[in-house]
Amino acid sequence: QVQVVESGGGLVQAGGSLRLSCAASGTIFRLVAMGWYRQTPGKQRELVAIITSDGTTNYADSVKARFTISRDNANTSVHLQMDSLKPEDTAVYYCNVRTRTRWTGPYDYWGQGTQVTVSS
């Protein structure tokens, strides 16, 4: 089992910055990817940014050039630096950890979510 804990959300004015962090613990056989998703009421959860086990990153078009995802060398923590925030970035942000074993998977583990609110 893998535990995922997020931190770093809050309230910020438009144009400001926030940094989200996510720590994974427990038994991780093989890491596939770590990423950030966000969700607003009435909408589906959407991908914000993802970093794979080999370091490849991918971003939603709406956050490219403003958000940066990074990971520590132990592959147990992932961070999301959010700059030039806009009111439309307001959402609950969830950390995802995707793993697999040699024979089965992938398995997805989610954090509890952290609220990001950007005021205009």
Side-chain angles (χ1 to χ4, degrees), residues 11-83:
L11 172 65
V12 65
Q13 288 187 333
S17 298
L18 280 176
R19 180 178 172 86
L20 304 183
S21 294
C22 170
S25 61
T27 303
I28 299 177
F29 291 101
R30 294 187 180 186
L31 180 70
V32 175
M34 300 179 78
W36 290 94
Y37 293 71
R38 65 189 181 187
Q39 189 170 22
T40 54
K43 293 189 176 181
Q44 287 190 334
R45 193 171 295 185
E46 63 174 5
L47 172 69
V48 176
I50 192 168
I51 183 167
T52 65
S53 59
D54 66 358
T56 301
T57 58
N58 192 31
Y59 296 89
D61 288 342
S62 60
V63 307
K64 282 181 180 177
R66 299 189 299 121
F67 290 12
T68 304
I69 190 169
S70 61
R71 186 186 63 205
D72 71 345
N73 290 334
N75 289 334
T76 59
S77 295
V78 65
H79 311 282
L80 185 68
Q81 178 66 39
M82 305 186 293
D83 298 319

Side-chain angles (χ1 to χ4, degrees), residues 101-114:
T101 70
R102 182 176 178 182
W103 303 277
T104 62
Y107 303 98
D108 284 307
Y109 300 92
W110 295 91
Q112 77 285 358
T114 185

